[in-house]
Amino acid sequence: MPPRRAAPPPIPPPGADRPALVVVLHGTRSPAGSEDAELLRRRVCDRLPGTRVDVGWVDVHEETLERTLPAAGPAIVVPVFLSAGHHVTHDIPTAIERTHGRARTTSHVGPDLDPALRDRLTELGPLGDGVVLAPAGSNHERANRETRATAERLSALLGRPVEVGFFHSAHPSPAEALARLRTAGAEDVSVATNALLPGLYQKRIAALGLPTTRPIGVHEALIEAIVRRHLAALPHRPY
């Protein structure tokens, strides 16, 4: 028989002294993106009754993570990012360091979101014979390698070729990724938006003129990834 999976740490009872959860997002100028962020916060709250849940931003917004953490008190920080770029490897640890041990961070959620990418593609209707995975791209090659690994896993999940097309900071571009699929014989290509919240980048992706998924948004896989990381990072002590 396969080994039994370890049960997640229990949720402390309401009113217990426990760390807050700070969900860290990049930031967006899109009103729809801000609305999705608040909806995500509320959905996570529903899964963790009695736990304070805040949103911290690393860019765009004035309410940055460095302002959020002091107000939250002792906290577990979950980076809601698809890959470990500069914000994950530098900005978030720097903000946490300034709490002098009152906050700790978990791993970012990206590796757990393949099912969400698949589901967003399914929403478009019958899947064609190729997919462009369209992420932002990063100046950190490690983050771009993570994205390419996501494309490989998604290709195995879908049974179709998936090419990465970065819409800035890295190559190939979405148009170049599409050209690669066309050269390989793909005729019915869709675009998987590899982003969490709505943003201005959607106009650049729309220029391809292909069926394109909406961002991952408030998907159950994202909620589960956040909650699981928070519970696993709770101090191992009785409540």
Side-chain angles (χ1 to χ4, degrees):
M1 294 179 63
R4 183 176 298 176
R5 294 181 62 183
I11 300 174
D17 180 20
R18 78 192 77 160
L21 166 57
V22 178
V23 176
V24 187
L25 295 162
H26 176 272
T28 175
R29 292 180 175 85
S30 165
S34 296
E35 291 171 4
D36 273 5
E38 174 56 20
L39 177 59
L40 176 63
R41 189 194 68 80
R42 294 200 305 266
R43 291 285 301 277
V44 171
C45 279
D46 291 342
R47 291 286 301 275
L48 296 168
T51 296
R52 173 174 176 158
V53 180
D54 292 327
V55 170
W57 307 96
V58 295
D59 203 355
V60 181
H61 300 257
E62 290 185 5
E63 290 301 319
T64 61
L65 179 60
E66 291 192 1
R67 292 188 180 185
T68 301
L69 285 176
I76 293 168
V77 173
V78 179
V80 180
F81 285 79
L82 296 173
S83 60
H86 184 76
H87 292 309
V88 172
T89 61
H90 179 267
D91 293 344
I92 295 174
T94 297
I96 289 174
E97 184 177 356
R98 291 173 180 168
T99 70
H100 303 289
R102 300 185 75 204
R104 67 181 73 183
T105 187
T106 72
S107 60
H108 61 290
V109 300
D112 290 355
L113 300 185
D114 297 349
L117 291 168
R118 176 202 59 204
D119 289 352
R120 294 297 181 238
L121 283 163
T122 300
E123 291 173 353
L124 297 177
L127 190 60
D129 52 7
V131 173
V132 173
L133 181 66
S138 173
N139 292 321
H140 286 230
E141 184 53 29
R142 170 186 166 185
N144 296 330
R145 286 198 302 269
E146 279 191 66
T147 303
R148 296 185 185 100
T150 298
E152 292 176 2
R153 296 193 307 270
L154 187 61
S155 178
L157 193 62
L158 300 174
R160 289 162 174 78
V162 177
E163 289 281 348
V164 179
F166 302 98
F167 55 84
H168 68 71
S169 298
H171 293 284
S173 68
E176 290 167 337
L178 174 60
R180 291 183 182 184
L181 288 168
R182 297 286 196 219
T183 299
E187 298 180 353
D188 185 5
V189 178
S190 303
V191 180
T193 301
N194 195 40
L196 289 162
L197 300 176
L200 300 178
Y201 61 85
Q202 289 173 283
K203 293 182 180 179
R204 297 188 62 179
I205 298 175
L208 292 174
L210 299 174
T212 301
T213 69
R214 60 191 174 107
I216 290 170
V218 188
H219 189 281
E220 185 60 32
L222 175 56
I223 297 166
E224 177 63 27
I226 294 169
V227 170
R228 185 168 58 251
R229 281 164 173 75
H230 174 75
L231 293 178
L234 286 173
H236 296 291
R237 61 181 177 81
Y239 285 86

